Amino acid sequence: MSPIKPLLLGLGLFALAGCDTAEQAAESFAEKVEQAAVDQVKESLGETLKGLDEQVEQLNDKVDQAQEGTREWLDQAQPKAEQDTPEQEAEQQPQQDMIET
């Protein structure tokens, strides 16, 4: 065996070991990059969700105000309608009885 063959074999094994180490380093780096991306997305979504929560809360407040205003308006308008309705019904019933007989 010539002295060059063991040297080449040693360099080949060294290169393979270096490739394995480089592969492990690349995988580790890829995992770290992936985790950093996931963390960034979570943080960004968290801030977006906080903003949406605030907007939903404001919308709910406006809806509550509109409902309260509508209730007040209906409460003011309802007594007049209730007073008119029994009188109108009382007037209509005798007319219907007369027509039927």
Side-chain angles (χ1 to χ4, degrees), residues 44-86:
S44 178
L45 284 176
E47 291 173 10
T48 301
L49 291 176
K50 285 179 186 177
L52 289 175
D53 285 345
E54 290 174 5
Q55 290 177 354
V56 167
E57 198 63 36
Q58 290 174 357
L59 178 62
N60 284 339
D61 289 342
K62 289 180 182 180
V63 168
D64 290 344
Q65 290 172 359
Q67 288 176 337
E68 185 61 33
T70 302
R71 279 191 204 108
E72 290 174 4
W73 180 76
L74 287 174
D75 288 344
Q76 291 174 358
Q78 194 169 9
K80 293 178 185 176
E82 287 178 357
Q83 290 173 0
D84 293 342
T85 303

Side-chain angles (χ1 to χ4, degrees), residues 3-98:
I4 295 179
K5 286 184 182 180
L7 180 62
L8 289 176
L9 183 59
L11 286 174
L13 290 175
F14 183 71
L16 287 176
C19 288
D20 188 44
T21 303
E23 182 181 357
Q24 290 176 354
E27 287 177 6
S28 175
F29 179 72
E31 289 173 4
K32 288 179 182 178
V33 168
E34 181 182 359
Q35 186 60 43
V38 167
D39 292 343
Q40 184 66 32
V41 168
K42 285 181 181 178
E43 182 180 331
S44 178
L45 284 176
E47 291 173 10
T48 301
L49 291 176
K50 285 179 186 177
L52 289 175
D53 285 345
E54 290 174 5
Q55 290 177 354
V56 167
E57 198 63 36
Q58 290 174 357
L59 178 62
N60 284 339
D61 289 342
K62 289 180 182 180
V63 168
D64 290 344
Q65 290 172 359
Q67 288 176 337
E68 185 61 33
T70 302
R71 279 191 204 108
E72 290 174 4
W73 180 76
L74 287 174
D75 288 344
Q76 291 174 358
Q78 194 169 9
K80 293 178 185 176
E82 287 178 357
Q83 290 173 0
D84 293 342
T85 303
E87 292 174 7
Q88 290 175 354
E89 288 177 6
E91 291 174 3
Q92 290 176 357
Q93 286 179 355
Q95 292 174 357
Q96 289 175 354
D97 290 339
M98 288 183 205

